[in-house]
């Protein structure tokens, strides 16, 4: 009998390949299908379920299902010792289904279904290993994402007066358009972890590695980018694209700096995801939708491969994630090590690998735009930092000595986890050229002066040099640097602390108010006090009723006495 992993893998892979073939047909014929199903009509407001089928939705769904099928097959080996593997696989399938709901819909109501599904299932997956660190990370993830859910609900409420929620069909005036787009932009920023909502992304590393591979490549973090891809025309016409450009550039810079000071293998890859998301958002703010989508797909391939290889390395190194002890990967596990090296080169845009085609085009497109020096330098420096932390990681994994245990058996056996890498490896090497021919209908020729053309190569070379310099910093030299500076850079500009304070303090004050006001003075002067006074008065009346005859005689006596005194005077 086949396990749930094998069954899920086969089904998802078949659906993925059929969707990719359909997407080729849609690109060739330039087809778009829009299906509308009216669920409810109240006066002039129609609640509709809308499905938009175009080449972009089909190719993205194909990629998501392709990566998730490989991740599920990988999980059979990686999560093999888990007692609840069936529950884990079902959660992953629910996660993928929520992403499908989001991809297919241009309607805010049906987007919300997939959007909330992603948030809730991601919480269940982050807290899968039930310990205090996972619970804290899960809480940070879900609370940050709730901000985006609230702004999405507010945009739905705002558009109630237009009789529908299809942003394609609504003609908004400038102020209203800006308000709706601002709310949607905040939603996209929370899901795609742009500043100031970045701290949940590295915290979500508490999830199992297969989940990290899925979340960081093609599902949760790409939801915000995909939302902005769909509504990009409205974003540009609302004038909010310059605000997004600044946010994206700062996010890229912050994550690139942080990754150079990080020693946790999974966190370095998580921060690289944050950097690439900033690049996609920056590309969207320039109006280069196809380039952003192209980079989204290419990034999904090599980032999933990078995470699966990192998971294998962590497993073989006895669940150790510190790269300072992970030397000699090329000698000990040459197969996984070489695949990891290729994925790392694709990430930093090595020529003719998948990342090169999209990143190079985005950077040259950026050079041809009329931006100021600050944005330009931030964008290019951040790209250099990507190369820097990639080379630092490679040198620490391949060039330094293995310094973990004095004796340890590490086998590079051809297991399931290695078999899963071949499909992603082929796509990471060939995918860039193949999909650039498919998606970009004419070759992008960007004419620039010689200096600007060479700027990309210059920044990449500078990044390689910085990465090797940072690698040469020994521990005592790290300590000799300004302690507060290193702490500031390494902790993502204190963002996790600020985020946790923003969450913790309102909860603390809420508890304080509940104890002091709701259960304190309000109780004393309100319901509890009324109850006590009523009880006292009813007891008094009860005593009167119990001693009725004696009281009658005493009152009669006093009444007669009063009458006599009045008569005498």
């Amino acid at each position: 009998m086949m396990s749930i992993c094998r069954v899920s893998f086969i089904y998802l892979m078949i659906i993925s390949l059929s969707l990719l073939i359909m997407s080729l047909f849609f690109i060739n014929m330039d087809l778009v299908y829009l299906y509308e199903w009216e669920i409810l009509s109240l006066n002039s407001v129609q609640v509709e379920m809308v499905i938009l089928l175009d080449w972009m939705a089909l190719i993205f769904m194909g990629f998501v299902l392709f990566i998730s099928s490989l991740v599920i097959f990988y999980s059979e080996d990686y999560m093999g010792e888990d007692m609840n593997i069936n529950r884990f696989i079902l959660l992953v399938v629910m996660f993928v289904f929520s992403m499908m709901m989001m991809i297919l819909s241009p309607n805010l109501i049906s987007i919300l279904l997939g959007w909330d599904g992603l948030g809730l299932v991601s919480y269940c997956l982050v807290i899968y290993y039930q310990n205090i660190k996972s619970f804290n990370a899960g809480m940070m993830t879900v609370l940050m994402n709730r901000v985006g859910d609230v702004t999405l609900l507010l945009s739905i409420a705002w558009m109630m007066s237009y009789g529908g929620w299809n942003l394609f069909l609504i003609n908004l005036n400038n102020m209203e358009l800006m308000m709706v787009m601002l709310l949607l932009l905040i939603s996209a920023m929370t899901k795609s972890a742009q500043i100031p909502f970045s701290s949940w992304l590295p915290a979500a590393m508490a999830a199992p590695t297969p989940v990290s591979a899925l979340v960081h490549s093609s599902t949760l973090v790409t939801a915000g980018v995909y939302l902005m891809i769909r509504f990009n025309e409205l974003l540009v016409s609302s004038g909010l694209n310059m605000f997004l450009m600044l946010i994206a550039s700062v996010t890229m810079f912050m994550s690139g700096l942080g990754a150079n000071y990080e020693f946790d293998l999974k966190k370095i890859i998580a921060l690289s995801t944050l950097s690439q998301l900033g690049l996609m958002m920056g590309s969207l703010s320039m109006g280069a939708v196809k380039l952003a989508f192209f980079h989204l797909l290419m990034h999904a391939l090599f980032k999933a491969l990078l995470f699966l290889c990192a998971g294998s390395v962590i497993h073989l190194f006895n669940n150790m994630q510190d790269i300072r002890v992970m030397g000699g990967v090329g000698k000990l596990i040459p197969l996984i090590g070489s695949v990891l090296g290729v994925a790392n080169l694709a990430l930093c845009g090595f020529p003719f690998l998948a990342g090169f085609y999209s990143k190079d085009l985005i950077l040259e497109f950026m050079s041809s735009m009329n931006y100021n020096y600050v944005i330009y330098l931030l964008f290019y420096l951040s790209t250099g930092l990507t190369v820097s932390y990639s080379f630092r990681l490679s040198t620490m994994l391949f060039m330094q000595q293995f310094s973990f245990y004095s004796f340890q058996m590490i086998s590079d056996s051809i297991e399931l986890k290695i078999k899963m890498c071949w499909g992603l490896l082929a796509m990471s090497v060939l995918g860039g050229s193949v999909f650039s021919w498919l998606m970009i209908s004419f070759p992008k020729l960007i004419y620039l002066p010689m200096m600007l053309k060479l700027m990309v190569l210059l920044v990449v070379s500078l990044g390689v040099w910085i990465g090797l310099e940072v690698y040469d910093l020994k521990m005592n030299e790290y300590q000799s640097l300004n302690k507060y500076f290193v702490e500031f850079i390494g902790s993502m500009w204190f963002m996790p602390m600020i985020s946790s304070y923003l969450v913790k303090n309102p909860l603390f004050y809420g508890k304080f108010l509940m104890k002091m006001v709701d259960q304190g003075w309000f109780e004393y002067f309100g319901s509890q006090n009324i109850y006590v006074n009523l009880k006292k008065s009813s007891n008094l009346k009860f005593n009167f009723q119990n001693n009725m005859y004696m009281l009658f005689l005493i009152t009669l006596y006093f009444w007669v006495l009063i009458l006599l005194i009045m008569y005498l005077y």
Side-chain angles (χ1 to χ4, degrees), residues 50-290:
V50 185
I51 291 176
L52 176 70
L53 277 179
D54 62 347
W55 69 270
M56 206 174 261
L58 287 167
I59 206 166
F60 192 31
M61 283 198 298
F63 267 69
V64 171
L65 289 170
F66 175 69
I67 290 167
S68 53
S69 65
L70 295 178
V71 164
I72 285 171
F73 197 42
Y74 174 86
S75 302
E76 185 179 14
D77 184 63
Y78 192 90
M79 307 288 289
E81 295 173 15
D82 190 7
M83 298 290 286
N84 301 311
I85 188 164
N86 289 3
R87 181 169 67 187
F88 175 77
I89 298 300
L90 287 172
L91 277 172
V92 171
V93 171
M94 279 171 63
F95 196 58
V96 173
F97 177 73
S98 299
M99 193 65 194
M100 297 296 108
M101 285 284 295
M102 216 221 90
I103 291 169
L104 283 171
S105 178
N107 182 301
L108 288 183
I109 294 281
S110 40
I111 279 175
L112 188 68
L113 291 172
W115 194 268
D116 258 349
L118 282 171
L120 293 171
V121 180
S122 68
Y123 176 69
C124 297
L125 287 168
V126 169
I127 65 163
Y128 188 77
Y129 294 139
Q130 295 183 10
N131 54 53
I132 191 70
K133 187 185 170 193
S134 298
F135 288 145
N136 289 340
M139 193 54 70
M140 188 184 282
T141 302
V142 81
L143 286 174
M144 286 260 181
N145 282 309
R146 287 319 282 170
V147 176
D149 298 346
V150 167
T151 51
L152 195 61
L153 282 165
L154 284 172
S155 62
I156 287 171
W158 191 281
M159 291 180 66
M160 185 85 176
S161 55
Y162 301 104
W165 288 277
N166 289 0
L167 280 188
F168 296 145
L169 312 175
I170 291 171
N171 185 20
L172 301 171
N173 64 42
N174 282 338
M175 193 59 210
E176 288 158 344
L177 171 65
M178 191 168 177
M179 199 65 221
V180 172
M181 274 317 298
L182 181 63
L183 291 168
L184 287 174
L185 182 59
I186 293 169
S187 294
M189 280 165 58
T190 55
K191 268 287 190 284
S192 293
Q194 301 298 295
I195 279 179
F197 307 108
S198 305
S199 56
W200 71 263
L201 196 70
M205 288 293 97
T209 304
V211 174
S212 302
L214 197 57
V215 163
H216 283 256
S217 61
S218 55
T219 48
L220 184 67
V221 294
T222 56
V225 177
Y226 189 75
L227 188 72
M228 286 297 104
I229 285 171
R230 281 296 185 211
F231 301 136
N232 189 258
E233 285 180 21
L234 294 173
L235 174 72
V236 174
S237 58
S238 66
L240 288 167
N241 54 332
M242 288 311 299
F243 168 70
L244 180 59
M245 187 69 190
L246 180 65
I247 291 287
S249 304
V250 175
T251 305
M252 282 174 71
F253 186 65
M254 179 269 297
S255 52
L257 271 180
N260 277 299
Y261 282 88
E262 187 58 66
F263 291 108
D264 187 318
L265 178 59
K266 280 177 77 175
K267 278 198 177 171
I268 290 173
I269 304 173
L271 287 165
S272 78
T273 303
L274 196 51
S275 172
Q276 301 308 305
L277 288 169
L279 185 65
M280 291 171 215
M281 284 292 196
S283 176
L284 281 172
S285 66
M286 293 185 278
V289 182
K290 274 192 175 179

Side-chain angles (χ1 to χ4, degrees), residues 444-465:
K444 288 262 185 201
L445 288 172
I446 299 170
Y447 292 98
L448 292 169
M450 187 69 171
M451 190 58 210
L452 287 180
K453 270 286 186 188
L454 291 174
M455 189 73 179
V456 180
L457 285 174
L458 181 70
V459 161
V460 167
S461 310
L462 193 66
V464 172
W465 174 65

Side-chain angles (χ1 to χ4, degrees), residues 308-321:
L308 295 184
C309 291
S312 304
V313 170
I314 289 166
H315 240 196
L316 292 170
F317 279 78
N318 205 8
N319 301 323
M320 171 63 73
Q321 296 187 20

